[in-house]
Amino acid sequence: MGFWSNVEAEREYQGISRKELALRANISYAGIGLGLERDSMPGADTALRISKVLQVSIEYLLSEGSQETIQNADNAFSSELKLFRLYRSLIDDIEKIPSHIKDPICDMIHHIAAKENKLY
């Protein structure tokens, strides 16, 4: 995978559209598509702006990751995303509770989960 393929994978992982990435990195929208199409290397300034928007290192975007590693990450993310969607409304409700009430509840949940994990 080249730079632009890594950018595309990270952008999708973070749920950022190409248009949003282009706007936030101050690059052209078409430039992203051309970079992917041509598998070209951007200028250092462009790479730096993209890495800042995606909050990853330039080295990460330049790395040649194995397809298996990427597939494993996609599978793990997919599982986490399903759980988040399942419990999103509960998470939103918990976030509305004042911390002096929320913290003991979260501690109790962690304690119960830890006990359950020791049983298996």
Side-chain angles (χ1 to χ4, degrees):
M1 288 180 63
F3 177 86
W4 288 106
S5 297
N6 289 338
V7 167
E8 189 74 355
E10 185 64 28
R11 179 191 65 72
E12 288 176 357
Y13 175 78
Q14 293 187 25
I16 299 172
S17 70
R18 283 187 188 173
K19 184 176 182 179
E20 182 180 354
L21 175 62
L23 288 171
R24 290 173 52 195
N26 196 27
I27 60 175
S28 74
Y29 173 79
I32 296 172
L34 285 173
L36 277 164
E37 184 180 309
R38 296 178 182 167
D39 197 24
S40 61
M41 186 62 62
D45 59 330
T46 300
L48 181 60
R49 287 194 308 266
I50 291 171
S51 73
K52 285 184 178 182
V53 170
L54 296 176
Q55 297 179 339
V56 297
S57 69
I58 292 177
E59 292 82 8
Y60 172 79
L61 295 175
L62 293 170
S63 69
E64 295 288 329
S66 73
Q67 194 60 35
E68 183 179 329
T69 301
I70 294 165
Q71 185 63 42
N72 289 342
D74 285 347
N75 289 342
F77 176 71
S78 179
S79 297
E80 290 176 8
L81 185 60
K82 286 178 186 174
L83 282 173
F84 176 74
R85 287 180 177 152
L86 179 64
Y87 295 112
R88 182 180 185 157
S89 65
L90 179 60
I91 293 168
D92 290 342
D93 289 344
I94 290 171
E95 286 301 310
K96 295 174 188 171
I97 299 172
S99 63
H100 71 280
I101 297 171
K102 175 176 45 177
D103 292 345
I105 293 170
C106 290
D107 289 344
M108 179 184 64
I109 292 169
H110 290 300
H111 180 74
I112 292 169
K115 274 187 138 178
E116 288 296 315
N117 287 331
K118 289 179 185 176
L119 295 176
Y120 298 105

